Amino acid sequence: MVAFGLVVVWQGLVLVLAPPPFMLPSPARVAAALLARPQLITRDAVTTLVETLLGFATGAALGMALALVLAFFPPTRRVLLPVMVVSQALPVFALAPLLVLWFGFGLGSKIVMATIAIFFPIASAFHDGLSRTDRGLVDLARLHRANRLQEVLLIRVPAALPALGSGLRVAAVYAPVGALIGEWVGASSGLGYAMLQANGRSQTDVVFAALLLLAAMAVLLRAAVDAATRPLAPWAAETLDLRD
């Protein structure tokens, strides 16, 4: 219903303002451009999806690993936490050309770009969950002579799963954007590459078609991650009531 409402508003703006098609194409023009260029789905969208999924998997693994390192060895926080913050403070557009230079124009540079885009949300959310475990549970574990490994794996990790799920859901939205930025710098296929080619020819309808595919990819990936992470912490069910 939301998507339908947005399309109606979009069409209404086109009818009322009557902008040139190269400025704001109508939904019908965008749909026609998508149908006229099946390679947007069969080639470019598939390329971006592969880059996104591989980047998401890599970023999730590295983010969770770093959060666990910080939990197992608290003194490392003084060194690693500033590095995490600095890695996100650097403009991604400044890093993209270097990544293409180092990893080439293939999948490698796009996977690394997507990894960088989602690494921090996952590491930060999981580390925050590990650090905010109920103090009573931690004291109970120590009372039973649990060592550091047992405390982290049996107490802190299960308690941090809801926070990890939140980080993964946020990262699922950013992962396609990271892959897209990498394609803008250098690629031979992908939605970013298609957008650059279309923009250079003033084919705004093709640019909008690529954007719609990217948006659909982000929504579906977020929904898939939400469905996969929800069973991880059944005791932390949502209590928000829309009637409140």
Side-chain angles (χ1 to χ4, degrees), residues 92-119:
V92 290
F93 282 102
L95 293 175
L98 293 175
L99 295 178
V100 171
L101 180 64
W102 294 337
F103 297 97
F105 287 89
L107 288 175
S109 57
K110 285 70 177 178
I111 293 172
V112 173
M113 197 68 205
T115 299
I116 293 175
I118 71 168
F119 168 78

Side-chain angles (χ1 to χ4, degrees), residues 22-114:
F22 69 87
M23 292 185 63
L24 182 63
S26 66
R29 278 182 172 270
V30 174
L34 187 59
L35 293 175
R37 292 168 175 78
Q39 67 270 21
L40 279 176
I41 297 176
T42 59
R43 185 194 65 185
D44 296 317
V46 170
T47 298
T48 303
L49 179 61
V50 171
E51 296 165 353
T52 298
L53 293 177
L54 292 176
F56 181 82
T58 305
L62 291 177
M64 289 187 289
L66 179 57
L68 289 172
V69 168
L70 295 175
F72 276 115
F73 309 104
T76 60
R77 298 177 188 176
R78 296 181 180 179
V79 177
L80 296 180
L81 284 179
V83 173
M84 290 171 56
V85 174
V86 169
S87 70
Q88 296 303 302
L90 298 175
V92 290
F93 282 102
L95 293 175
L98 293 175
L99 295 178
V100 171
L101 180 64
W102 294 337
F103 297 97
F105 287 89
L107 288 175
S109 57
K110 285 70 177 178
I111 293 172
V112 173
M113 197 68 205

Side-chain angles (χ1 to χ4, degrees), residues 123-207:
S124 179
F126 195 29
H127 173 257
D128 189 59
L130 292 170
S131 302
R132 297 179 182 275
T133 305
D134 185 278
R135 189 68 192 179
L137 295 176
V138 176
D139 290 340
L140 182 62
R142 291 175 179 175
L143 181 64
H144 287 80
R145 302 180 183 276
N147 56 37
R148 187 66 179 176
L149 177 63
Q150 292 172 325
E151 176 188 324
V152 172
L153 295 183
L154 300 180
I155 303 296
R156 293 189 180 273
V157 169
L161 289 179
L164 174 61
S166 298
L168 290 172
R169 288 190 288 271
V170 172
V173 178
Y174 287 122
V177 178
L180 191 76
I181 293 174
E183 292 172 352
W184 281 344
V185 176
S188 58
S189 63
L191 292 176
Y193 172 79
M195 290 172 64
L196 283 179
Q197 296 296 312
N199 192 53
R201 301 184 178 97
S202 296
Q203 297 173 334
T204 313
D205 50 354
V206 179
V207 175

